[in-house]
Amino acid sequence: MLLPLTLLAALYGAAAGLLVPRAVYRLAVEPGEPWRADCPAGHPLTGPLRGWAGTGRCTDCAPTGHGGPLPLVAALRPVAAPGPSAPRPLGAAALGAAACAGLAVATGPRPELAAWLLLVPFALVLGYVDVAVHRLPDVLTLTLPPAAAVLLGLAAPLPGVAGSWTGALLGGVVLGGAFLLLFLIHPAGMGFGDVKLAVTAGVILGWYGWVVLFIGAFAGFLLGAVYGGALVLLRRAGRRTALPFGPFMMCGTFLGMLVGGLGAG
């Protein structure tokens, strides 16, 4: 049962990853700029979900010298000055497949797995956008907490579930409050988008309990500190260099979900 489930989850993750670049292209804009509605050549973006999902290519663009359409991800390069962020479709697909397969292995055929898989594509978009422009779009950070709470609320009464919906709600309040306190104490240490993302992370981690909540939150800070320290040692960044914390928070949340899923099993 677990192997077919893992394969299906990996296929879903790969398919979702292939559709991520379009949303990243549209949302990876500087503060104050509107979301992109056109390709670099000025063609309106159309396709699944009103042009929000796609492989990052504009079919209306004139073929390039290689005979293919102009890749939208190429236009992210100037925007992505803080770091290498433009999602290559195969890379995003591999990342989505690995994340979904890992969640399937850890969670098994329990109802909450459906919620985890539905949240993965949005996590990928947030991670890529944060690396690109050091910001987390409100359109996702404000909608994901209630979405995660609703998905887990639907899973909670189903047989075979392993988690607490009340714990998830409390986890969102506690972790979001903790990040808000850190932001108020040291605003330069993180962005307010991280505070809003922490609410979603808290809902997810709180589902499996306080121990998992602590593990996931701590892992995010540890990963960020290790990465930042490595950059300083390699002289690729200074002590005051701003680094996007969202991807590390989501990686920590993912590790907490694996620990919680395996522990509940």
Side-chain angles (χ1 to χ4, degrees), residues 151-197:
L151 289 173
L152 292 175
L154 293 174
L158 299 178
V161 75
S164 168
W165 189 56
T166 302
L169 298 181
L170 290 175
V173 173
V174 169
L175 194 60
F179 269 70
L180 177 60
L181 181 61
L182 291 175
F183 175 78
L184 294 176
I185 294 174
H186 185 50
M190 66 175 63
F192 196 65
D194 298 322
V195 177
K196 289 175 279 190
L197 180 60

Side-chain angles (χ1 to χ4, degrees), residues 39-156:
C39 79
H43 301 124
L45 296 175
T46 58
L49 300 179
R50 296 184 178 182
W52 282 97
T55 59
R57 291 179 177 271
C58 176
T59 56
D60 293 329
C61 286
T64 66
H66 299 285
L70 179 66
L72 291 179
V73 291
L76 264 181
R77 290 302 184 185
V79 179
S85 58
R88 303 299 183 185
L90 291 182
L95 189 58
C100 291
L103 291 172
V105 170
T107 308
R110 296 197 298 268
E112 64 264 28
L113 177 61
W116 304 153
L117 295 182
L118 288 173
L119 293 173
V120 165
F122 301 99
L124 291 176
V125 172
L126 281 172
Y128 278 121
V129 172
D130 198 15
V131 172
V133 289
H134 288 197
R135 63 187 300 235
L136 295 162
D138 286 346
V139 67
L140 293 181
T141 56
L142 293 180
T143 56
L144 283 179
V150 169
L151 289 173
L152 292 175
L154 293 174

